[in-house]
């Protein structure tokens, strides 16, 4: 770690502002094809927990859904510092782990599956329509937690990422591509988060 990186780390640790407890990362299938991409992801997990996060979510957008199983195997075999739950298209089992990864599992499909499950419960008489509220929807989402900070590398767009959960998240876009993402880039994201006044839609 260089002098500038140590300075950033000190600022993150000594400021009175809170650090994000749940950090989310949006990358692409193409990002993971770059040499060293999985090593960077492993390091990203380590940085997040080192600087105060308790949960990390990664969304990998894919152009070819057929690539999802291969990516899932690579991610499940990753030497991560915490338990990892990987979900891919058509896998809507709830993901409860310190590190959750969605591969091509878009927010629209996740939300649609939750609504379909609610409709079935109402139709079967297991749920009163008056009991359909935000909590009922959130209980049926694959990724249950709302990120405090969402980091997107390479471009200023989120694709189809966690439409419901990220509505009040702080968004951080960097033009640094994933292959070049370093600890200092992560610390810059945390520092910007600490400098913001979160309003939660108000």
């Amino acid at each position: 770690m260089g002098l500038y990186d140590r300075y950033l780390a000190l600022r993150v640790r000594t400021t009175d502002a809170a650090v994000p407890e749940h950090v989310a990362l949006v990358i692409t299938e193409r990002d993971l094809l770059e040499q060293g991409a999985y090593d960077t992801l492993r390091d990203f997990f380590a940085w997040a927990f080192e600087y105060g996060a308790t949960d990390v979510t990664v969304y990998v957008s894919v152009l070819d859904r057929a690539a999802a199983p291969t990516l899932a195997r690579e991610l499940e075999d990753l030497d991560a510092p915490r338990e990892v739950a990987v979900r891919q298209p058509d896998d809507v089992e709830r993901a409860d782990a310190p590190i959750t990864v969605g591969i091509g599992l878009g927010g629209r499909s996740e939300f649609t599956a939750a609504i379909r499950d609610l409709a079935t419960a109402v139709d079967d008489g297991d749920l009163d329509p008056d009991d359909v509220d935000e909590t009922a929807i959130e209980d049926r989402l694959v990724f249950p937690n709302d990120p405090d900070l969402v980091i997107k590398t390479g471009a200023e767009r989120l694709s189809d990422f966690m439409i419901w959960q990220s509505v009040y998240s702080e968004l951080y876009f960097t033009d640094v591509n994933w292959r070049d993402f370093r600890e200092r880039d992560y610390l810059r994201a945390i520092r910007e988060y600490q400098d913001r006044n979160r309003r939660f839609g108000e």
Side-chain angles (χ1 to χ4, degrees), residues 109-146:
S109 62
E110 179 192 28
F111 186 71
T112 300
I115 297 302
R116 186 182 300 115
D117 188 66
L118 281 171
T120 300
V122 170
D123 190 54
D124 291 344
D126 297 327
L127 181 67
D128 191 293
D130 291 336
D131 292 332
V132 176
D133 55 14
E134 290 184 9
T135 300
I137 294 172
E138 289 168 353
D139 287 343
R140 288 165 171 80
L141 295 175
V142 178
F143 302 103
N145 299 323
D146 302 342

Side-chain angles (χ1 to χ4, degrees), residues 134-167:
E134 290 184 9
T135 300
I137 294 172
E138 289 168 353
D139 287 343
R140 288 165 171 80
L141 295 175
V142 178
F143 302 103
N145 299 323
D146 302 342
D148 297 307
L149 173 65
V150 178
I151 299 173
K152 174 66 174 71
T153 66
E156 293 191 10
R157 61 178 181 274
L158 288 179
S159 303
D160 189 18
F161 170 78
M162 296 179 78
I163 291 172
W164 179 279
Q165 301 93 323
S166 64
V167 65

